[in-house]
Amino acid sequence: MIIDLAQLFHNNSLLVVFTIIAFGYLIGNIKIARFEIGVTGGVLLCALVFGHYNFQLDPIVQSLGFTLFIYSVGWQAGPQILNVLRLDGPRYLVLTLFMTAVSFSLVFGLAAVIDLPSSYAAGLMAGSLTSTPTLVGAQNAVTSGLVRVPEGATARSLIENISVAYAITYIFGTVGLLMVVRILPSILRVDLVAAALQFSKERGIKSDREKYRVKRPILRAYAVDDPDLAGKTFDEILSRHGAQSANLRAFYRLKRGSELIEPRSDTIVEMGDKVAVFATPEEHAEAHKLPGLTADILDEDLIDAEIDVAEIVITNPASVGKPLAEIGIYDKFGCFLSSLTRSQIQMPVSPGTVVQRGDVMIVSGERLALDRLIAHLGAEDRKAVETDLLTFAAGIVAGLIIGQITVKIGSIDIGLGNAGGLLLSGICVGFLRANRPTFGRMPAAARFIFMELGLLLFMVGVGLNAGGGIVGALASLGPILFACGVVVTCVPLLVGYAFGRFALNMNPALLFGALTGAMTSTPALGIVQQAAKSTVPALGYAGTYALANVLLTLAGTAIVML
């Protein structure tokens, strides 16, 4: 039996898609001197090769990828859109607007100088900034009819131009940006380590080189045998011995006879009561010094604690905008914070880190204590495998309908297009989800697969569309497009740094993180964090990333329409 592989692949587009994704993953994970082009770049390169040999993709596959990706981008950005207006938010907002405006103006100016068609200009901007949302916005503007197709051209040829320009400029946009971010602090004589330490000191953030951890608690039970304690509340007892009422969190269960009682500050203690204490060894040693408590006792009802882990979404206005030290996850509630995530980015777990709406905490502790903490912070995102596909699908439907709405101004029809509609719908659903965690449930694994698979399906289509014309474009426009790409990658970063330092007076470590977020480059953030030896830059990245995705999508739509 003879198998014609070429014919097999030509007859089976699904085989082509997943072969490209598989090899793309392999290539994207190859590191050369700590640099890697990433999975998106690897898939794009593989798709270009297949496209050069005339392999095609059913348009519905790319449309599906585009829909899943851009809606997920909006969903992820939703909780953070309003957060950029809090604390350092105004500076993040201004910096993101400035960076987007600089990039847009630069591309528009270069296109005018070298007489570059708007389709190539859109691909130039998307590739130079490695911004897939920009590419999505531009291509969708063409397919949805928002762009007037020039005489002698077709919508397909415009999409191919966008894809070709994106492919030519993407590599330097990825690797070049990492190189620039690595060497720029040295050129500017900026000590990122010192800057991160200074910011950490000002905000009460522990250095990554400092140990920030609470000793694990243990559970012990005591009996009340002092008549002087009888008839007094927990608050009175603790105050009498110079303790803070917040230390009540250690007393999580009280037993009176056979009745189990949840201790409160106004709970009255009686002779013979037994109390379970969930605290560190040092705190138990202090408890031994309190008169009126016998040595440890054994009582299964008291020491049979239910230790659990909860994923908590921050929604309570009483907690939003407060540092972790003020919330007192351990000091006030006796629970232990493992991680804090914002827009899929790990935040520093330090006393000075400010909590924002939509943040997700992983917290462990005794179940009753966890319930009290959850009520104070927001709501628990209970672990389950189900995704609320009804809300997910309805949100996409709403976005597609919004994208069809146009407003006629004179002879010009203006609308958001599918990209803008899906983005807006995703933002609304994501924002509502952050405020009402029981609505629109989507586990982290589901979020990842929707966004990642959507992105890769879309990139396969981009590469296959560009593959047929990439050789000719490289021979004619390749050098000038590449040179323009270098300019568009580097200049906004330099101008943005100057603007952030001198106009916004931002800390350099925070600023470099914010700049990588404004350029939507997660690999560049990794380089900055390595140089700073701190996670402080992640705070800046999270401040600009969500809004940048939205603005760059709109910028891609706008530039291809000019």
Side-chain angles (χ1 to χ4, degrees):
M1 177 178 171
I2 300 176
I3 298 177
D4 186 339
L5 287 178
Q7 191 63 37
L8 177 65
F9 275 82
H10 275 293
N11 292 338
N12 194 328
S13 60
L14 285 178
L15 184 60
V16 172
V17 168
F18 288 101
T19 299
I20 291 172
I21 290 176
F23 279 102
Y25 255 91
L26 291 175
I27 295 172
N29 288 318
I30 296 175
K31 288 188 177 181
I32 301 176
R34 293 186 179 181
F35 291 106
E36 59 182 30
I37 64 173
V39 173
T40 304
V43 169
L44 178 62
L45 284 177
C46 287
L48 286 171
V49 173
F50 274 78
H52 178 67
Y53 290 100
N54 296 318
F55 287 96
Q56 300 295 320
L57 179 68
D58 190 327
I60 192 62
V61 176
Q62 186 176 1
S63 296
L64 176 62
F66 145 76
T67 301
L68 292 175
F69 173 71
I70 204 65
Y71 178 77
S72 298
V73 166
W75 195 98
Q76 181 173 295
Q80 300 302 324
I81 291 297
L82 294 183
N83 287 339
V84 298
L85 301 177
R86 300 184 179 97
L87 196 60
D88 294 314
R91 290 191 290 182
Y92 294 141
L93 173 63
V94 172
L95 180 64
T96 308
L97 289 168
F98 179 82
M99 289 285 289
T100 304
V102 168
S103 302
F104 185 91
S105 302
L106 190 59
V107 171
F108 182 77
L110 288 171
V113 170
I114 64 175
D115 195 24
L116 191 68
S118 61
S119 55
Y120 281 110
L124 166 64
M125 183 174 183
S128 301
L129 302 181
T130 63
S131 173
T132 308
T134 302
L135 178 66
V136 170
Q139 290 202 353
N140 180 251
V142 175
T143 57
S144 61
L146 294 177
V147 176
R148 184 180 60 83
V149 179
E151 187 176 348
T154 64
R156 180 178 177 80
S157 67
L158 294 183
I159 290 176
E160 182 176 309
N161 293 345
I162 295 171
S163 302
V164 165
Y166 177 84
I168 291 174
T169 55
Y170 179 86
I171 301 302
F172 184 85
T174 302
V175 180
L177 178 60
L178 299 183
M179 295 173 60
V180 172
V181 166
R182 184 184 291 276
I183 65 175
L184 189 57
S186 300
I187 295 175
L188 298 175
R189 297 182 179 180
V190 175
D191 188 341
L192 287 181
V193 175
L197 288 174
Q198 178 187 355
F199 183 84
S200 298
K201 184 177 180 180
E202 292 172 354
R203 297 293 178 89
I205 297 176
K206 293 283 185 180
S207 166
D208 292 347
R209 290 173 289 179
E210 298 180 62
K211 291 184 178 180
Y212 178 70
R213 54 185 171 186
V214 180
K215 292 184 178 180
R216 293 298 179 188
I218 56 177
L219 180 64
R220 289 178 178 174
Y222 302 88
V224 178
D225 64 357
D226 187 349
D228 289 342
L229 298 182
K232 294 182 173 60
T233 65
F234 272 103
D235 251 358
E236 291 171 338
I237 294 171
L238 292 170
S239 299
R240 174 181 174 182
H241 296 286
Q244 299 295 322
S245 61
N247 287 332
L248 180 68
R249 53 105 173 96
F251 300 93
Y252 82 95
R253 186 176 296 168
L254 183 143
K255 186 176 182 181
R256 182 169 297 156
S258 60
E259 180 186 5
L260 294 176
I261 301 171
E262 180 182 346
R264 301 170 59 90
S265 59
D266 58 354
T267 300
I268 296 176
V269 176
E270 298 180 2
M271 276 289 293
D273 282 352
K274 300 175 183 179
V275 62
V277 180
F278 193 68
T280 64
E282 291 80 5
E283 290 169 329
H284 280 294
E286 291 296 320
H288 277 294
K289 298 177 183 178
L290 292 175
L293 293 182
T294 64
D296 301 354
I297 62 172
L298 180 62
D299 190 308
E300 292 185 4
D301 291 334
L302 290 174
I303 63 175
D304 184 19
E306 181 186 353
I307 309 301
D308 204 353
V309 178
E311 183 176 320
I312 306 174
V313 182
I314 309 303
T315 62
N316 192 338
S319 299
V320 173
K322 291 185 177 179
L324 289 174
E326 186 176 341
I327 293 174
I329 292 174
Y330 176 72
D331 293 332
K332 296 181 181 179
F333 296 93
C335 298
F336 302 86
L337 177 63
S338 302
S339 69
L340 174 65
T341 305
R342 180 176 305 153
S343 293
Q344 313 302 312
I345 303 297
Q346 291 289 332
M347 295 289 102
V349 180
S350 293
T353 300
V354 176
V355 172
Q356 295 185 1
R357 185 182 300 277
D359 286 357
V360 178
M361 292 181 179
I362 304 296
V363 185
S364 59
E366 197 277 328
R367 188 66 241 184
L368 293 176
L370 278 177
D371 290 340
R372 289 193 291 266
L373 177 62
I374 291 167
H376 181 72
L377 294 178
E380 182 177 4
D381 193 2
R382 295 192 177 275
K383 295 185 181 299
V385 296
E386 297 88 358
T387 295
D388 184 356
L389 286 176
L390 172 61
T391 301
F392 186 83
I396 290 177
V397 170
L400 293 174
I401 292 174
I402 292 171
Q404 301 306 309
I405 298 174
T406 58
V407 177
K408 197 171 189 65
I409 301 178
S411 60
I412 302 175
D413 291 332
I414 298 177
L416 292 176
N418 287 339
L422 288 167
L423 196 64
L424 178 60
S425 177
I427 289 171
C428 292
V429 174
F431 178 77
L432 291 173
R433 161 71 181 162
N435 286 272
R436 297 180 179 274
T438 56
F439 165 82
R441 192 177 196 296
M442 192 188 303
R447 291 197 298 270
F448 174 81
I449 195 66
F450 281 139
M451 181 174 284
E452 185 79 353
L453 183 60
L455 171 61
L456 296 184
L457 289 176
F458 179 76
M459 293 307 298
V460 168
V462 170
L464 292 176
N465 287 332
I470 189 71
V471 175
L474 283 171
S476 57
L477 288 173
I480 194 166
L481 274 175
F482 184 84
C484 289
V486 172
V487 173
V488 176
T489 298
C490 298
V491 171
L493 189 64
L494 297 170
V495 176
Y497 178 81
F499 180 75
R501 282 294 291 149
F502 302 113
L504 302 179
N505 194 32
M506 295 181 69
N507 176 281
L510 195 70
L511 175 57
F512 267 98
L515 291 173
T516 60
M519 300 182 77
T520 65
S521 177
T522 304
L525 171 65
I527 296 294
V528 174
Q529 290 190 130
Q530 288 177 5
K533 298 180 180 178
S534 170
T535 54
V536 164
L539 294 169
Y541 182 92
T544 57
Y545 176 78
L547 185 59
N549 271 307
V550 176
L551 292 177
L552 288 173
T553 302
L554 300 177
T557 301
I559 200 162
V560 79
M561 293 174 64
L562 297 178

